[in-house]
Amino acid sequence: MIQPKHIYRPDIDGLRAVAVLAVVGFHAFPNTFPGGFIGVDVFFIISGFLITGIILEAVDNGRFTFADFYVRRARRIFPALVLVLVCCLLAGWLLMMPNDFLQLGKHTFGGASFISNILYFFEADYFDGDAGYKPLLHLWSLGVEEQYYLFWPVMLFFCRGNRSTAMRMIIGVGLASFALNIYLTPLAPEAAFYLPVTRFWELMLGSALAVLKPKLNLPAETRERPALYRNVAAVLGAAAIVLAFVLLDATKEFPGWWALLVSAGTCAVIWAGPDTVVNRLLTWRPMVLIGLISYPLYLWHWPLISFSWNIYGWDVPKSVRVAMVVLSFLLAWLTYRFIEGPVRTRRPPAQVVGLAQGLTVAVAIIGAIGALAYFSVLKPRSAGDPQILAIADAVKDGTSPEGVETIRGTTGWTILFIGDSHMAQYRPRLRQLAEAPPFELPDIELHTFGGCPPLPQLERAIRGYCSKVMTTAFDRAAAMDVRTVVIGAAWIRLETLSDLYVVGSDTQPHQLNDAETDEVLMDFSARLTHLREAGKNVIVLTSSPGGPLFDPRMMVERSHVTPRAHYREFVSRAEATQSTQYIDAKIRAAAGRAGVTVVEPSAWICPGDRCRTVDTAGRPISADGWHMRPQFVRENLQGLDGVLRMPPQLDGAATSP
């Protein structure tokens, strides 16, 4: 099989090193490298540039065949991928709980069939499991690239080497993809992030470079552009990449317009070509070596970090994270040296084709094994333990926090519930009461939106709609038919979230300090006072008990490799409310200034001074440490009934049951 001539550019490997180091840093130490996730965007530009250059060169020389292209892709991608998928399945079988292993099976199938990005898009909702428990999450980017490989060679081939036609096609596809990216990022950020149609514009930028500069990697090219221009372009490009790493974090809408910064910077560095100041840094031997192992390093690092998350739970020690990074480098080098190298060694054409076919079959078999795990035909070792099964059933057994719901009663007046998912968790009990009412019920109306504090003055950058929906909810509270208003939330988010800002302020999203929290709560008090003076019976719920001791995932210990149940059946109320005491005191003070009622949910869940972490049947009461399970809420939160029985007219006195 004829291989098209391709001149090696070591600076591209150096650029790969920058990309993979950024991603590894972000995954291992997200607080230290919050913008490292954009390393993937650097990879997209590089892939578009290299793949398009290889295809065009082969077409120009009359050597291009689809068989040759896909054989080369199989030899490049499949060896390391097969190894990592097999190791993840084995580790999952040993270490994972049944629900996590089932999910791993689905993701293994997605990784083997290169549709991971599509699967993760459909999984991306408020109660989706933590990313740390998904060892193959990083394969979403490989899915985008493989989907690019499917259609792009066909489109380029039919251009028949006509670069003007190819460029018009690139511009058309790129502009359409970029426009869709801009449109969807604020409206459906998960779609904009994961779907190929909103990512192809980055690959098109790399493709455009290859079309415009087909000989960009030749020494003669350096004589066609003055060295000053190339150095300026390279330095500005590198500065743009660094600036993107510094400015970007989870609070920014991405990809959107922000992705232009890192994409333009990467294009400038590639366009500048060899023999620039930046090029000399990128061709430093350690950088080139990291670039050479960047693909297996990308494949290995996240599963190692993820499985350490599976073992340690909420807080993986820094020393373990460092060890996982070091181990990922070691495994990447071993994979490059003993797996990738031998597979990519020149062979007779028949052997090359046979090897590619064998690798394809191996990938298909692994995908089939993943499907068996997903359908519970293949089960992990922990599946035989009834206690583990009970704990596994609790994970992700949450309620939907989004939207407005009305449950009709018979009294002719309405009780309005406003809050986030911590208010939404009470829905199962309210619905049960409506199905068989033990007393006359008012209309029950819920305005609950996950992750949105019921404070109209505040906005969350990562949501973008919280202030609007909460303003609407408070406006609804002023309606004549609404006589009782119940407001509750995970108030601790006022202390812990880093993407909050006051509507109308010029500040960037950040974590509120005490003074800012007090200012927001003063506004909250004013709103409560307005409702009370309008004749409403206003009830504020403090935080519900929660924390690591309630998290089903933390009720498992793995000192024997295979998970075993290990938990405390009871904790003291002080332990259950320790993390929320400070903010709850501020919430009580805000409600007290307004003269409204305060109710403590801990009184419903923790009779006396003890709180259950599991019910009498040994089932965890919480789905994730903070949200109570629907079954527990239905069976045990009779205290909530008292809120519905409260008089619909305020008597002017604030109480604290």
Side-chain angles (χ1 to χ4, degrees):
M1 189 161 293
I2 300 173
Q3 301 288 341
K5 183 180 180 182
H6 180 67
I7 295 178
Y8 172 64
R9 276 184 60 175
D11 61 311
I12 297 294
D13 271 327
L15 200 54
R16 280 192 176 114
V18 171
V20 77
L21 289 174
V23 174
V24 172
F26 168 68
H27 284 155
F29 309 102
N31 294 328
T32 305
F33 303 100
F37 61 89
I38 64 173
V40 171
D41 300 82
V42 176
F43 278 127
F44 286 159
I45 303 291
I46 293 172
S47 292
F49 174 69
L50 293 179
I51 293 300
T52 300
I54 290 171
I55 294 173
L56 287 177
E57 188 174 1
V59 170
D60 289 344
N61 296 329
R63 298 173 177 173
F64 179 81
T65 67
F66 291 106
D68 179 54
F69 176 81
Y70 290 114
V71 164
R72 286 164 60 85
R73 290 296 87 206
R75 292 173 67 195
R76 169 73 174 122
I77 294 170
F78 288 178
L81 180 64
V82 167
L83 179 62
V84 170
L85 290 178
V86 168
C87 289
C88 284
L89 279 173
L90 289 173
W93 183 79
L94 282 171
L95 298 172
M96 282 183 160
M97 292 166 54
N99 55 308
D100 291 328
F101 187 68
L102 180 147
Q103 180 176 249
L104 176 64
K106 179 173 69 171
H107 295 164
T108 300
F109 175 81
S113 56
F114 302 105
I115 59 169
S116 289
N117 55 322
I118 308 297
L119 293 182
Y120 292 125
F121 161 64
F122 283 112
E123 288 180 5
D125 60 41
Y126 181 78
F127 275 102
D128 181 28
D130 290 303
Y133 295 105
K134 297 179 178 181
L136 299 176
L137 178 62
H138 62 322
L139 296 187
W140 76 267
S141 63
L142 194 59
V144 172
E145 292 203 17
E146 284 295 324
Q147 289 148 25
Y148 165 75
Y149 297 154
L150 285 177
F151 92 96
W152 192 237
V154 177
M155 297 183 72
L156 277 184
F157 178 76
F158 285 110
C159 290
R160 298 291 184 182
N162 188 320
R163 294 180 184 273
S164 296
T165 303
M167 181 54 67
R168 285 195 293 270
M169 181 175 62
I170 287 170
I171 292 172
V173 173
L175 287 177
S177 173
F178 183 72
L180 195 58
N181 153 59
I182 296 300
Y183 175 74
L184 284 179
T185 296
L187 298 177
E190 293 86 3
F193 190 86
Y194 285 118
L195 295 184
V197 290
T198 53
R199 291 293 194 159
F200 278 168
W201 66 271
E202 294 175 292
L203 290 147
M204 292 299 104
L205 285 176
S207 299
L209 280 177
V211 173
L212 288 171
K213 302 293 180 182
K215 297 181 180 180
L216 191 60
N217 51 3
L218 298 179
E221 180 67 16
T222 66
R223 296 191 294 270
E224 296 177 11
R225 297 190 304 279
L228 176 61
Y229 293 168
R230 294 186 296 102
N231 274 285
V232 169
V235 170
L236 289 177
I241 295 172
V242 172
L243 189 63
F245 286 145
V246 172
L247 294 180
L248 280 165
D249 55 37
T251 67
K252 304 296 191 299
E253 291 185 342
F254 195 86
W257 291 101
W258 278 106
L260 270 180
L261 186 60
V262 63
S263 300
T266 305
C267 287
V269 171
I270 295 174
W271 179 88
D275 301 322
T276 66
V277 175
V278 174
N279 175 274
R280 295 187 190 102
L281 294 174
L282 293 176
T283 54
W284 183 41
R285 185 164 178 76
M287 292 294 285
V288 174
L289 290 176
I290 293 173
L292 289 172
I293 65 169
S294 60
Y295 175 59
L297 178 58
Y298 183 79
L299 291 182
W300 278 116
H301 83 281
W302 179 243
L304 292 172
I305 294 170
S306 175
F307 276 111
S308 66
W309 186 291
N310 272 267
I311 292 172
Y312 288 94
W314 286 31
D315 187 20
V316 179
K318 185 177 180 180
S319 59
V320 174
R321 296 172 189 256
V322 171
M324 293 302 100
V325 171
V326 172
L327 181 57
S328 66
F329 272 88
L330 176 60
L331 291 175
W333 181 83
L334 291 172
T335 303
Y336 176 79
R337 174 68 177 81
F338 296 106
I339 304 294
E340 285 191 343
V343 168
R344 296 172 66 183
T345 300
R346 289 185 178 275
R347 302 166 183 266
Q351 289 186 14
V352 170
V353 173
L355 180 60
Q357 291 173 339
L359 289 168
T360 303
V361 171
V363 170
I365 291 173
I366 294 169
I369 294 173
L372 293 175
Y374 177 62
F375 289 108
S376 297
V377 177
L378 176 65
K379 298 180 180 181
R381 288 211 305 182
S382 61
D385 186 334
Q387 287 183 300
I388 288 294
L389 290 175
I391 292 172
D393 286 341
V395 177
K396 290 187 66 176
D397 186 17
T399 58
S400 173
E402 298 290 341
V404 177
E405 178 183 359
T406 300
I407 302 171
R408 294 298 177 188
T410 58
T411 64
W413 58 273
T414 300
I415 180 170
L416 179 64
F417 290 80
I418 302 174
D420 59 10
S421 60
H422 282 229
M423 179 63 83
Q425 68 184 337
Y426 301 125
R427 288 190 185 200
R429 180 65 186 174
L430 298 175
R431 291 169 182 157
Q432 185 181 44
L433 290 175
E435 291 172 2
F439 52 87
E440 195 172 17
L441 288 178
D443 288 351
I444 300 169
E445 191 171 321
L446 298 107
H447 287 243
T448 56
F449 296 85
C452 290
L455 303 165
Q457 192 182 15
L458 275 186
E459 185 57 274
R460 284 195 68 188
I462 200 171
R463 290 282 185 265
Y465 54 76
C466 290
S467 176
K468 179 180 178 180
V469 297
M470 289 304 162
T471 298
T472 300
F474 273 80
D475 289 344
R476 170 68 180 128
M480 289 292 295
D481 64 304
V482 176
R483 297 190 185 180
T484 298
V485 183
V486 185
I487 304 169
W491 301 110
I492 195 171
R493 287 181 175 139
L494 298 182
E495 297 178 331
T496 58
L497 291 178
S498 60
D499 67 331
L500 295 171
Y501 63 92
V502 177
V503 175
S505 71
D506 295 325
T507 58
Q508 291 293 317
H510 62 288
Q511 186 170 325
L512 301 181
N513 58 39
D514 280 350
E516 291 169 319
T517 301
D518 290 341
E519 179 185 348
V520 169
L521 292 180
M522 286 297 292
D523 176 80
F524 182 53
S525 287
R527 293 176 186 271
L528 297 179
T529 300
H530 175 73
L531 291 174
R532 179 181 61 79
E533 291 176 347
K536 313 297 181 183
N537 182 27
V538 183
I539 302 164
V540 175
L541 304 183
T542 57
S543 306
S544 57
L549 292 173
F550 290 83
D551 186 354
R553 293 185 185 277
M554 300 302 292
M555 296 179 178
V556 176
E557 61 93 16
R558 294 175 172 85
S559 60
H560 300 282
V561 181
T562 300
R564 294 186 180 181
H566 181 75
Y567 55 83
R568 290 166 55 188
E569 185 177 355
F570 294 96
V571 299
S572 69
R573 185 186 293 196
E575 288 179 285
T577 60
Q578 181 178 7
S579 62
T580 60
Q581 283 179 355
Y582 181 72
I583 189 63
D584 278 349
K586 292 195 171 190
I587 296 300
R588 291 189 199 94
R593 287 192 297 269
V596 303
T597 302
V598 176
V599 171
E600 306 276 354
S602 60
W604 306 337
I605 304 163
C606 311
D609 192 40
R610 296 200 310 171
C611 308
R612 278 192 170 274
T613 63
V614 296
D615 63 17
T616 54
R619 300 168 299 190
I621 73 168
S622 173
D624 57 10
W626 295 106
H627 300 88
M628 288 176 283
R629 299 176 67 187
Q631 178 177 316
F632 179 80
V633 171
R634 283 192 296 269
E635 296 175 357
N636 297 276
L637 261 64
Q638 290 86 357
L640 183 63
D641 304 1
V643 172
L644 277 71
R645 289 176 183 240
M646 283 186 177
Q649 295 294 331
L650 188 67
D651 60 8
T655 60
S656 181

